[in-house]
Amino acid sequence: MAQLLDGASKLGWVLLTAVLRFVFMFFNNCVAIPSYCLYLLLLQPLRIWDSSTFWHIEGIMFKWLLAMVSSWGWIAGYTVTEWGDDVRPISEEEAMVIVNHQSTGDVCTLMMCLQDKGTVVRKMMWLMDHVFKYTNFGLVSLIHGDFFIRQGKAHRDKQLVYLKDHLDKYYHSRDRKWIVLFPEGGFLRKRRETSQLFAKKHSLPHLTHVTLPRLGATHVILKTLSAQQENGSVGSETGTPNQTGNKRKGLHWVIDVTIAYPKARPMDIQTWIFGYRPPTVTHVHYRMYPIKEVPVEAEALTDWLYQRFVEKEELLAHFYDTGSFPPPEGHKEAVSRQMTLDPVWLCIIQSFAFVSGYMWYSVLQYLYCCLF
């Protein structure tokens, strides 16, 4: 009987905290996202007069919004431990980031672990499934200039053309630095069986913890944002002028990010919202490749990309067996780094969002009374 009462009390506490978290996040979205949109609407004259300053301000507010999402998990005890290469020294250089995809929580994890990487968050472009366009964050991503890609053979060719046009139009003009994509093209649980059948048919490696990546978007990004060299690799000079008239340096790196969840249980967005899972540490492994080592021709790039995901398979298999990632070559032990967020900074951002929401509500209410 005592165990039953104890279990009921714990369940009641989980339900209560879940309801309180949902209410807080609902109002958080109701004040933060409209405030972001209204601030940018007010700044439209600046966009015409000084576009670079406008997008600088927009990037700061975009980073704050992503920090709010990060705070939802942080408060619930969902933290990140980082492994492998330290990407902070290259945060101001242009890079393509390829990530394995297990659940909706992958995006939230990236939002959190990139917060302390300089200007990366405010200068990054995301490639996401078109379904995210219809979420509460969809309008923000549209304004920021992210690209929503539609999956499926019927749309593939057109989507790649749209992606190239999008990069030409927005990537350089808005001073983007990192572009993030999920080459697998879907969640692991949905694509694993199809990927394994494809691998068996074409004598490719059998993968369990990841799926075989798709080439299309990666190929378009490399060809659009990097200069091709005679040896078939890509160079670091695009020759594309930026807003100040100077030539951009182009992509310098491909950053291979591998996300691992304890016991292979992915964290989804529902968990981040309701916080019903006990405090959990998500592990993120980075590996950097100079862009000159990356082939751009389709066949060679396919082999190179497949090899990266074979390595991801090995990394994840080692992690699930031992609880840590393997050490880099030439090292006896892998060293991890605890990623932290400043709670004072998070409180300031949240306070600014609610103050802004109240201010805009008062302004709009006053205008409504004046007009009607």
Side-chain angles (χ1 to χ4, degrees):
M1 187 64 179
Q3 290 182 345
L4 183 62
L5 291 174
D6 184 55
S9 63
K10 289 182 178 179
L11 178 61
W13 174 249
V14 169
L15 292 175
L16 177 61
T17 54
V19 171
L20 292 176
R21 284 174 59 86
F22 177 78
V23 171
F24 171 77
M25 291 171 202
F26 175 80
F27 284 107
N28 198 184
N29 278 287
C30 287
V31 296
I33 294 177
S35 295
Y36 166 87
C37 297
L38 289 169
Y39 276 126
L40 295 183
L41 182 64
L42 184 67
L43 291 173
Q44 286 304 302
L46 177 63
R47 181 178 180 180
I48 299 172
W49 180 260
D50 188 351
S51 178
S52 61
T53 301
F54 173 85
W55 289 113
H56 177 82
I57 296 171
E58 184 277 335
I60 293 173
M61 291 193 291
F62 183 79
K63 180 177 180 177
W64 291 353
L65 286 177
L66 267 59
M68 292 178 196
V69 177
S70 302
S71 70
W72 301 348
W74 187 260
I75 294 171
Y78 304 147
T79 58
V80 172
T81 293
E82 299 179 319
W83 303 75
D85 296 333
D86 185 0
V87 299
R88 285 174 294 184
I90 65 165
S91 62
E92 296 300 322
E93 300 180 35
E94 294 188 32
M96 179 178 68
V97 182
I98 56 176
V99 192
N100 62 314
H101 207 12
Q102 302 178 64
S103 71
T104 50
D106 299 338
V107 175
C108 299
T109 297
L110 288 174
M111 288 180 178
M112 175 184 287
C113 65
L114 296 179
Q115 283 291 325
D116 67 343
K117 308 297 187 295
T119 62
V120 164
V121 174
R122 64 182 180 86
K123 290 188 175 183
M124 73 194 312
M125 178 182 287
W126 297 76
L127 265 66
M128 297 180 284
D129 190 278
H130 79 287
V131 173
F132 285 96
K133 186 188 297 186
Y134 308 105
T135 65
N136 61 319
F137 219 77
L139 179 59
V140 173
S141 292
L142 281 172
I143 295 172
H144 184 69
D146 296 329
F147 184 77
F148 297 94
I149 191 165
R150 187 181 293 271
Q151 304 293 340
K153 293 182 179 179
H155 308 283
R156 188 169 301 162
D157 293 338
K158 286 185 177 180
Q159 290 297 301
L160 296 179
V161 173
Y162 294 155
L163 173 59
K164 185 183 186 307
D165 292 342
H166 186 88
L167 294 173
D168 289 336
K169 187 175 181 180
Y170 297 116
Y171 186 84
H172 291 139
S173 65
R174 299 185 182 183
D175 193 26
R176 298 295 175 243
K177 294 291 186 182
W178 286 21
I179 182 166
V180 181
L181 69 153
F182 301 91
E184 291 167 290
F187 298 144
L188 173 64
R189 68 179 186 277
K190 294 183 178 180
R191 291 206 61 242
R192 178 159 41 201
E193 184 177 352
T194 302
S195 175
Q196 289 174 346
L197 290 174
F198 180 85
K200 183 177 181 180
K201 181 178 179 181
H202 294 86
S203 301
L204 295 169
H206 180 86
L207 305 176
T208 302
H209 305 301
V210 294
T211 64
L212 289 171
R214 294 170 176 173
L215 178 68
T218 306
H219 194 210
V220 169
I221 291 169
L222 288 174
K223 289 183 72 70
T224 304
L225 302 181
S226 302
Q228 186 173 355
Q229 304 297 310
E230 293 181 358
N231 62 0
S233 64
V234 291
S236 60
E237 294 292 337
T238 64
T240 304
N242 61 14
Q243 294 172 346
T244 62
N246 299 321
K247 287 186 177 181
R248 295 178 61 96
K249 295 180 179 179
L251 291 176
H252 273 182
W253 303 92
V254 172
I255 302 174
D256 186 6
V257 178
T258 303
I259 299 176
Y261 298 96
K263 299 180 181 179
R265 292 180 56 205
M267 188 90 68
D268 54 31
I269 188 63
Q270 296 94 322
T271 307
W272 276 67
I273 292 174
F274 294 105
Y276 47 77
R277 184 181 294 189
T280 303
V281 179
T282 301
H283 297 260
V284 179
H285 183 277
Y286 304 95
R287 182 173 287 171
M288 303 187 303
Y289 297 91
I291 198 68
K292 292 182 179 180
E293 296 180 4
V294 182
V296 74
E297 295 303 323
E299 184 175 350
L301 179 59
T302 300
D303 293 339
W304 186 89
L305 200 58
Y306 280 177
Q307 185 58 38
R308 300 291 75 75
F309 276 76
V310 170
E311 291 174 0
K312 284 179 180 289
E313 176 77 12
E314 295 170 354
L315 286 171
L316 290 169
H318 188 281
F319 177 84
Y320 294 139
D321 287 341
T322 65
S324 65
F325 285 107
E329 292 185 11
H331 294 76
K332 295 183 178 180
E333 186 177 353
V335 179
S336 63
R337 305 175 298 275
Q338 185 68 31
M339 187 270 160
T340 59
L341 292 175
D342 184 354
V344 175
W345 178 60
L346 293 177
C347 289
I348 292 173
I349 292 174
Q350 292 286 10
S351 299
F352 178 76
F354 282 98
V355 170
S356 295
Y358 178 77
M359 181 195 73
W360 283 113
Y361 173 78
S362 300
V363 169
L364 294 176
Q365 185 182 44
Y366 175 77
L367 292 176
Y368 178 83
C369 293
C370 290
L371 293 173
F372 303 102

